[in-house]
């Protein structure tokens, strides 16, 4: 029996769950459900990060004690995860006694290795990130140094802290990154490796208690609390009994060695640099791997608790649409590893076309025909020659995608089976057979057994994503709901038969256009529904209006034709190196891999991206732009980005493609 240990990040308790935390947790849940179905010894952990300066301040602003505030948010998370069918085996809270004990053990082990020492820290700190910042990590706006993630000024901190000898472990980290699949996707591994090769600095791992009191005291030094990220990362060991238990041969260590961290890209450095170095210092092995997914955005903006317009409440959607359509949507819509933009329209479109028209219709028509043509029961059938093996083979293909942590591909393959089964119904036309002389009962049983067998297989394939839907399908076709808890096995029979079928129940009731519009209006944050400001007519505005209403020629309006566009050569290019252009604040020099050659460009994106975060990324490159000399560097083209005066985001592809691929 194999082991599989999957973790989400522990979520910061500065707000209730949102779509971003829901996404990561549902992915981890689906992977855990798959591994349980194939018989692996599976453990699924999620949890809450409850210490730190930000939490202390929020609690104070609300007139609450930090622990009481944390308890209230923890209750919201528990209720949400229960509602969203999250099957975690444990939920860790960093304020628990077992975790405080584990953090003490971790500190002691690193200290015993000679890797903890005292020195003065004088630098910048972002309370939003709970992270120390270098000059490369911040942007200059209006004379202030701003965290680009939280869009707020960093704070100046000068205090005597405890430090960790991160520099000691640079070679160990690079050796670790050379291991295949330790960090996925490859672009993230390249990003981290570039950061480490650029030179590490020892990191501060404590805060003075007079600055931050809400934390775990440093062992032997009550005037300091443990830096929140050292505290948080240790949680993955806490649930196994703590570092001292994991250090010993036995089940805890064996489980730890099969641990997979599922994280978003904003916390990659903590998990892929600090954490493996800490583990090495403590005499512990690294986890099996780290999978870093992208951001979910709303209208191109990263989901943020501080930006109300990006708020998407999974509970509100589940209240109206059900939990499982939302689970399906986030797993199917986004390729794990890339960014994805959320829209309610896309959610409802998949609900209607794939869940309702494809799967729901297949189940409804199959059960209806079985009841009408065969008295409600389909007799066992071994299938056409090779049919059972074909079903088993499709199940293996879907299972391989789940194993590779590719939920979108797994569901795409499962939906091919759904569509093929609908096509089988159209091809065999059971309603015609039923009306023929004698009704051809054997033919009807064969054709409908085919549908039932594939529905049973599909139910198993999609059970990691939609466990209740899988059980509903099985129940309606007369099979035990417990079939959903096991994966497709080597087939003894194509359709083993089942109990009599009752009346079909729609899985995904149809929504008319008015209802869809009503739901979207209900889900949108109030801030996005504000009426536009009235336009005031100025003396010149009448002439302007007349000019706007008159049709413009293509030359006047900036419209281009197809021939113009065909001259634009857009390519996918991978960033292989990146550095700042000396004596400039906004310019970066990038080396791009074009597949057959490398090119150099200069881009004004330094205010939005640190150089090390770009290495390994695939960008969209305008390849046939006339070269220009910028600050002494020949720039051979440009990369595409959103924004005008201010760069908001790079244009990106939703999955990795080979360097040099033409974009049309």
């Amino acid at each position: 029996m194999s082991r599989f240990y999957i973790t989400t990040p522990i979520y910061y308790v500065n707000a209730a769950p949102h779509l971003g935390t829901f996404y990561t947790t549902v992915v981890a849940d689906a992977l855990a459900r798959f591994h349980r179905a194939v018989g692996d010894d599976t453990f699924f952990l999620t949890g809450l990060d409850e210490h730190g300066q930000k939490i202390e301040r929020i609690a104070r602003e609300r007139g609450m004690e930090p622990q009481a505030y944390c308890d209230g948010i923890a209750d919201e998370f528990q209720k949400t995860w229960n509602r969203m069918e999250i099957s975690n085996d444990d939920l860790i809270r960093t304020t628990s006694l077992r975790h405080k004990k584990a953090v003490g053990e971790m500190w002691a082990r690193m200290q015993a290795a000679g890797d903890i020492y005292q020195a003065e820290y004088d630098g910048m700190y972002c309370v939003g990130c709970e992270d120390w910042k270098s000059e490369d990590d911040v942007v200059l706006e209006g004379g202030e140094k701003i965290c680009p993630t939280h869009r707020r000024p960093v704070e100046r901190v000068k205090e005597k802290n405890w430090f960790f000898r991160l520099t000691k472990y640079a070679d160990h980290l690079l050796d670790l990154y050379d291991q295949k699949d330790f960090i996925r996707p490859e672009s993230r591994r390249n990003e981290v490796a570039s950061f480490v090769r650029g030179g590490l600095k020892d990191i501060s791992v404590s805060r003075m208690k007079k600055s931050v009191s809400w934390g775990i005291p440093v062992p032997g030094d009550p005037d300091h609390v443990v830096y929140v990220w050292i505290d948080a990362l240790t949680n993955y060991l806490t649930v196994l009994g703590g570092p001292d238990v994991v250090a010993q041969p036995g089940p805890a260590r064996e489980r730890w060695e099969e641990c997979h961290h599922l994280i978003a890209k904003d916390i990659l450095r903590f998990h892929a640099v600090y954490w493996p170095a800490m583990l090495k210092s403590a005499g512990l092995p690294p986890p099996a791997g780290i999978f870093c997914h992208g951001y979910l955005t709303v209208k191109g903006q990263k989901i943020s608790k501080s930006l109300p317009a990006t708020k998407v409440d999974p509970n509100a959607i589940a209240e109206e649409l059900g939990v499982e359509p939302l689970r399906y949507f986030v797993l199917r819509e986004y390729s794990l590893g890339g960014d994805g933009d959320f829209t309610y329209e896309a959610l409802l479109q998949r609900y209607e076309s794939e869940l309702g028209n494809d799967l729901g219709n297949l189940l409804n028509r199959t059960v209806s025909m079985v009841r009408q043509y065969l008295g409600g029961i389909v007799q066992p059938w071994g299938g056409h020659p090779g049919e059972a093996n074909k079903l088993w083979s499709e199940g293996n293909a879907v299972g391989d995608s789940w194993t590779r942590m590719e939920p979108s591909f797994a569901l795409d393959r499962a939906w091919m089976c759904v569509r093929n089964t609908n096509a089988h119904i159209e091809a065999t036309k059971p309603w015609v057979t039923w009306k023929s002389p004698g009704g051809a009962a054997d033919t009807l049983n064969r054709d409908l057994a085919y549908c039932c067998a594939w529905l049973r297989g599909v139910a198993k394939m999609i059970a990691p994503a939609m466990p209740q839907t899988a059980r509903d399908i099985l129940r309606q076709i007369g099979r035990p709901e417990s079939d959903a808890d096991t994966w497709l096995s080597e087939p003894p029979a194509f359709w083993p038969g089942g109990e009599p079928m009752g009346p079909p129940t729609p899985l995904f009731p149809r929504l008319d256009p008015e209802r869809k519009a009503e739901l979207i209006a209900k889900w949108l944050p109030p801030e996005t529904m504000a009426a536009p400001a009235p336009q005031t007519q100025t003396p010149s505005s009448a002439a302007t209006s007349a000019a706007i209403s008159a049709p413009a020629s293509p030359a006047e309006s900036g419209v281009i034709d197809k021939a113009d566009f065909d001259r634009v050569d857009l390519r996918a290019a991978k960033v292989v190196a990146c550095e700042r252009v000396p004596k400039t604040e906004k310019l970066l020099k990038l080396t791009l891999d074009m597949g057959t050659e490398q090119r150099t460009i200069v881009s004004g994106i330094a205010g939005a991206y640190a150089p090390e975060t770009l290495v390994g990324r695939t960008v969209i490159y305008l390849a046939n732009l006339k070269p220009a000399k910028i600050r002494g560097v020949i720039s051979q083209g440009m990369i595409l980005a959103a924004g005008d005066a201010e760069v908001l985001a790079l244009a990106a592809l939703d999955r990795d493609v080979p360097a040099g691929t033409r974009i049309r």
Side-chain angles (χ1 to χ4, degrees), residues 74-217:
D75 186 57
E76 289 189 51
F77 269 90
Q78 290 272 24
K79 289 177 180 176
T80 297
W81 294 159
N82 288 339
R83 182 176 195 176
M84 301 299 169
E85 301 172 342
I86 305 302
S87 63
N88 53 295
D89 296 288
D90 203 339
L91 187 145
I92 184 70
R93 296 182 59 185
T94 57
T95 52
S96 65
L97 291 176
R98 61 173 175 163
H99 181 67
K100 293 174 182 177
K101 176 177 177 292
V103 171
E105 291 175 5
M106 194 70 184
W107 186 279
R109 297 180 74 88
M110 294 190 296
Q111 194 168 46
D115 292 336
I116 302 290
Y117 66 94
Q118 268 198 312
E120 185 170 81
Y121 178 82
D122 185 359
M124 297 174 288
Y125 191 81
C126 173
V127 176
C129 296
E130 293 285 9
D131 188 21
W132 313 102
K133 298 293 182 181
S134 69
E135 293 293 340
D136 287 340
D137 296 327
V138 298
V139 295
L140 195 62
E141 291 183 5
E144 289 192 290
K145 293 177 178 178
I146 305 294
C147 168
T149 301
H150 290 92
R151 312 305 305 171
R152 65 181 65 171
V154 294
E155 299 182 6
R156 195 79 190 181
V157 174
K158 184 176 182 180
E159 57 188 33
K160 189 173 184 181
N161 290 342
W162 292 96
F163 278 71
F164 171 64
R165 297 186 196 279
L166 181 64
T167 50
K168 177 179 172 181
Y169 295 101
D171 290 342
H172 167 70
L173 292 170
L174 292 172
D175 288 343
L176 197 58
Y177 304 154
D178 285 339
Q179 296 180 17
K180 180 176 173 58
D181 291 342
F182 178 69
I183 299 174
R184 290 186 288 168
E186 183 182 2
S187 59
R188 298 299 171 199
R189 182 187 68 185
N190 294 339
E191 173 188 327
V192 171
S194 175
F195 172 76
V196 173
R197 290 192 189 100
L200 295 176
K201 296 179 181 179
D202 292 350
I203 58 171
S204 174
V205 289
S206 75
R207 296 296 309 273
M208 292 191 68
K209 200 165 187 177
K210 65 181 181 181
S211 301
V212 183
S213 62
W214 184 238
I216 298 173

Side-chain angles (χ1 to χ4, degrees), residues 29 105 149 308 350 383 409 454 456 508 539 564 583 587 643:
D29 177 74
E105 291 175 5
T149 301
R350 285 201 187 269
F409 291 106
W454 280 96
R456 178 173 178 255
F508 308 102
D564 292 325
K583 299 181 181 179
L587 298 181

Side-chain angles (χ1 to χ4, degrees), residues 502-627:
T505 304
L507 293 178
F508 308 102
R510 188 174 299 277
L511 302 173
D512 60 36
E514 292 76 15
R515 178 59 176 158
K516 291 178 189 176
E518 177 187 314
L519 288 175
I520 292 174
K522 187 172 185 178
W523 291 332
L524 283 172
E527 294 82 357
T528 66
M529 301 296 288
Q535 298 294 316
T536 303
Q537 187 97 346
T538 63
S540 61
S541 63
T544 302
S545 298
I548 291 173
S549 62
S553 68
E556 293 169 341
S557 65
V559 173
I560 65 173
D561 60 25
K562 181 70 163 51
D564 292 325
F565 178 75
D566 287 342
R567 296 176 58 205
V568 177
D569 186 10
L570 294 175
R571 302 276 176 168
K574 182 161 286 190
V575 181
V576 295
C578 184
E579 61 187 59
R580 291 185 180 275
V581 176
K583 299 181 181 179
T584 68
E585 289 187 0
K586 294 184 178 181
L587 298 181
L588 295 180
K589 174 185 172 183
L590 298 90
T591 303
L592 303 180
D593 177 12
M594 292 288 295
T596 58
E597 62 176 308
Q598 291 190 352
R599 295 188 185 179
T600 299
I601 67 161
V602 175
S603 181
I605 58 174
Y609 294 92
E612 66 273 7
T613 66
L614 294 174
V615 175
R617 291 188 61 159
T618 299
V619 296
I620 298 177
Y621 169 60
L622 178 56
N624 61 340
L625 184 68
K626 183 178 178 180

Side-chain angles (χ1 to χ4, degrees), residues 339-634:
D339 293 342
D341 198 59
F342 176 87
T343 68
Y344 293 109
E345 291 81 2
L347 167 65
L348 293 174
Q349 194 276 331
R350 285 201 187 269
Y351 174 90
E352 181 176 53
S353 65
E354 295 173 7
L355 296 179
N357 294 346
D358 291 343
L359 180 59
N361 188 43
L362 173 61
L363 176 65
N364 188 278
R365 69 200 303 203
T366 298
V367 174
S368 296
M369 287 189 293
V370 169
R371 284 173 56 80
Q372 184 175 359
Y373 305 159
L374 298 175
I377 190 163
V378 181
Q379 299 301 325
W381 181 54
H384 300 297
E387 199 69 52
N389 283 323
K390 181 181 178 183
L391 176 54
W392 182 49
S393 175
E394 286 299 317
N396 280 342
V398 173
D400 287 345
S401 290
W402 284 118
T403 300
R404 293 192 301 267
M405 298 188 180
E406 297 174 345
S408 181
F409 291 106
L411 292 171
D412 183 54
R413 190 68 179 252
W415 247 254
M416 286 175 54
C417 299
V418 172
R419 294 185 182 112
N420 288 341
T421 309
N422 273 318
H424 171 85
I425 293 177
E426 296 303 322
T428 57
K429 296 180 172 56
W431 53 91
V432 174
T433 304
W434 179 62
K435 292 178 181 178
S436 66
D442 288 346
T443 302
L444 284 168
N445 192 84
R446 180 195 67 199
D447 291 341
L448 293 174
Y450 180 99
C451 297
C452 290
W454 280 96
L455 274 167
R456 178 173 178 255
V458 165
K460 289 173 173 283
M461 295 176 197
I462 68 172
M466 298 188 289
Q468 186 55 53
T469 297
R471 290 190 285 269
D472 287 344
I473 291 170
L474 291 163
R475 175 179 48 78
Q476 292 198 46
I477 63 174
R479 294 295 304 172
E481 292 186 15
S482 58
D483 271 11
D485 300 330
T486 57
W487 198 246
L488 283 78
S489 58
E490 196 164 353
F494 181 53
W495 170 247
E499 297 297 319
M501 300 182 194
T505 304
L507 293 178
F508 308 102
R510 188 174 299 277
L511 302 173
D512 60 36
E514 292 76 15
R515 178 59 176 158
K516 291 178 189 176
E518 177 187 314
L519 288 175
I520 292 174
K522 187 172 185 178
W523 291 332
L524 283 172
E527 294 82 357
T528 66
M529 301 296 288
Q535 298 294 316
T536 303
Q537 187 97 346
T538 63
S540 61
S541 63
T544 302
S545 298
I548 291 173
S549 62
S553 68
E556 293 169 341
S557 65
V559 173
I560 65 173
D561 60 25
K562 181 70 163 51
D564 292 325
F565 178 75
D566 287 342
R567 296 176 58 205
V568 177
D569 186 10
L570 294 175
R571 302 276 176 168
K574 182 161 286 190
V575 181
V576 295
C578 184
E579 61 187 59
R580 291 185 180 275
V581 176
K583 299 181 181 179
T584 68
E585 289 187 0
K586 294 184 178 181
L587 298 181
L588 295 180
K589 174 185 172 183
L590 298 90
T591 303
L592 303 180
D593 177 12
M594 292 288 295
T596 58
E597 62 176 308
Q598 291 190 352
R599 295 188 185 179
T600 299
I601 67 161
V602 175
S603 181
I605 58 174
Y609 294 92
E612 66 273 7
T613 66
L614 294 174
V615 175
R617 291 188 61 159
T618 299
V619 296
I620 298 177
Y621 169 60
L622 178 56
N624 61 340
L625 184 68
K626 183 178 178 180
K629 191 171 185 178
I630 304 173
R631 291 297 182 100
V633 180
I634 300 297

